[in-house]
Amino acid sequence: MKIAVQGCCHGQLDAIYKHIQDLERQHGYKVDLLLICGDFQAIRNHRDLQCMSVPNKYKELGQFYKYYTSEVTAPVLTIVIGGNHEASNYMWELYHGGWLAPNIYFLGHSGCVRVNGIRIAGASGIFKGHDFRMGHYEKMPYDSSSMRTIYHIREYSVRKLSLLSSIKIFLSHDWPQSIEHYGDLAGLLRRKQFFRADVDNGTLGSPPLMGLLKTLQPEWWFAAHLHTRFEACVVHQEGSEPAKTAPPPIENPDEIKIDDDEFDDEAVKQPGPANNPEEIAIDDDEFDDAKPVTSIPQNQEAGASESSTEKPLEHIPRKDTKFLALDKCLPRRQFLEVIDVETSLSPADQDAALSFAFDPEWLAICRAFHPLLSTTRHQPAFPDEADARSMVAKELDWVSENIKTDASGEIPISDYQTFAMTAPGPGTEGQARFQQPPWYTNPQTESFCRMIGVPNKINPPPQTS
């Protein structure tokens, strides 16, 4: 199965889909799925722009509205997560996940789905320590602070994701903290000198995401945010014959190669500016603290056996996570990669239409943790890991007994969620175009909550007298 992966989107859907179609013509293959790692910018109209945390000069309507209004349709199933430059009001409508437009699906603030049996999970937003342990307290209309904090990832999402098992692909916007030490750090610093200070003080990336990476140990982890291509490999288990050489690099014959040698080695020794000149500048760090946050369960480190004299098991396969970050969509940038991912489907089944389904384990996790979903600043205490897993096992029985599956045993998303416009498209805003929009009850969120038997805490319909 061929999967295209995109770094930051920044609203450039037309260019991304065209690039995929060009690759298909050049190489004679068909891309089955597109994954986008944040800064998607699902802007439906000019009022949505007032809910996006960027300076006014960057507030452009972009191209998404054409897909939202069905003027054009995405040519390939597209799964996206959120970043730190989003119309956060729309993504909050679909907190649990849902169709942003026909054929474009948002994983939610956190989520897990199945595509042809492949489990794909993801986390939206970026890490900020001062908001991590809070509830989702932001309410519309957003002020200048809540417009930023709403896209800060919460411990609630990370706790839920940490309970998943056997994930093939994970998507994040942030990089996991310290991932730079598992790849070509010198090359990264030649390209991005301004990362030096964060690398030296250990603050590049998200601590909770590195905890998730070591806990979930997915085969692939894709990210964006820092606007550069970077690959790494985190080895969780060396196997019966430890590797003597580094794993081969992730090759992409379709991308323009950047010659790192144009930057001399001396540049690595020089401290660069404290900011990223390619990132949209917003004051998002004013409340940052330096305290590390590690609050999710960590699996036992590979090789830490109870007895050092125990005979090694034979034929233990090497287990690692291949990490790949990609750039934003601009000419001569390495913003998109096409990879081959094995599925358990037969060739005949792979030639059929894609199976796109809810993940039963994720539904059980959502149901088990729903009482802890806070829409205030206070986040209720979480159960310990053993109790949490027991809760999920109980709810997995409920899911199997109460949610219908198709003939193949899947829970098709299309059986429960169908795209529906909530806000109007552009051209109807009039004098209100510079005002934040009202909030909407999204029927997809209502449907998701009915499916798993929980109340809609996100955007319930207004009560009528």
Side-chain angles (χ1 to χ4, degrees), residues 199-239:
V199 170
D200 287 347
N201 62 30
T203 58
L204 187 72
S206 164
L209 289 186
M210 179 51 80
L212 273 180
L213 188 152
K214 291 183 176 180
T215 297
L216 300 179
Q217 303 182 9
E219 182 176 335
W220 293 91
W221 188 298
F222 301 112
H225 189 42
L226 297 184
H227 295 168
T228 188
R229 185 186 187 279
F230 181 75
E231 63 183 77
C233 183
V234 179
V235 178
H236 307 290
Q237 174 180 284
E238 284 286 4

Side-chain angles (χ1 to χ4, degrees), residues 411-425:
I411 306 172
I413 288 176
S414 59
D415 285 359
Y416 294 91
Q417 289 182 313
T418 303
F419 170 70
M421 291 177 60
T422 46

Side-chain angles (χ1 to χ4, degrees), residues 75-307:
V76 59
L77 175 62
T78 303
I79 297 176
V80 311
I81 58 169
N84 59 316
H85 300 306
E86 306 288 5
S88 296
N89 58 316
Y90 189 23
M91 289 190 164
W92 176 256
E93 278 185 39
L94 295 170
Y95 176 88
H96 299 291
W99 298 103
L100 294 168
N103 224 25
I104 301 176
Y105 193 86
F106 174 48
L107 268 184
H109 280 223
S110 57
C112 180
V113 294
R114 298 166 63 96
V115 181
N116 280 5
I118 295 172
R119 301 182 79 200
I120 301 172
S124 292
I126 62 172
F127 170 77
K128 294 295 174 183
H130 48 81
D131 289 315
F132 182 65
R133 291 192 171 94
M134 290 190 176
H136 293 284
Y137 60 86
E138 298 85 358
K139 301 289 187 296
M140 291 188 67
Y142 304 134
D143 59 26
S144 60
S145 175
S146 61
M147 196 178 297
R148 299 193 306 273
T149 63
I150 191 170
Y151 57 71
H152 294 165
I153 191 170
R154 300 310 207 264
E155 184 178 8
Y156 177 79
S157 292
V158 175
R159 289 270 182 172
K160 290 169 64 182
L161 289 164
S162 73
L163 297 171
L164 287 167
S165 56
S166 303
I167 295 298
K168 176 78 79 170
I169 295 172
F170 196 94
L171 307 179
S172 67
H173 190 60
D174 256 347
W175 293 20
Q177 186 184 51
S178 78
I179 193 69
E180 69 273 13
H181 294 289
Y182 294 84
D184 181 10
L185 176 58
L188 176 66
L189 291 175
R190 282 197 296 271
R191 297 191 304 275
K192 301 285 184 178
Q193 298 180 39
F194 41 83
F195 290 175
R196 166 63 76 180
D198 286 344
V199 170
D200 287 347
N201 62 30
T203 58
L204 187 72
S206 164
L209 289 186
M210 179 51 80
L212 273 180
L213 188 152
K214 291 183 176 180
T215 297
L216 300 179
Q217 303 182 9
E219 182 176 335
W220 293 91
W221 188 298
F222 301 112
H225 189 42
L226 297 184
H227 295 168
T228 188
R229 185 186 187 279
F230 181 75
E231 63 183 77
C233 183
V234 179
V235 178
H236 307 290
Q237 174 180 284
E238 284 286 4
S240 56
E241 295 183 5
K244 292 183 172 59
T245 59
I250 304 167
E251 293 292 340
N252 180 6
D254 307 323
E255 279 298 340
I256 300 167
K257 298 298 182 184
I258 296 176
D259 185 5
D260 288 346
D261 294 336
E262 65 180 303
F263 306 95
D264 60 40
D265 291 338
E266 188 65 26
V268 180
K269 304 175 185 178
Q270 303 300 323
N275 63 313
N276 182 347
E278 296 178 352
E279 180 59 46
I280 297 172
I282 56 174
D283 188 13
D284 204 27
D285 300 320
E286 58 180 326
F287 304 108
D288 267 1
D289 53 57
K291 295 179 181 179
V293 178
T294 53
S295 59
I296 63 173
Q298 298 272 335
N299 287 348
Q300 184 180 14
E301 290 295 329
S305 60
E306 295 181 1
S307 172

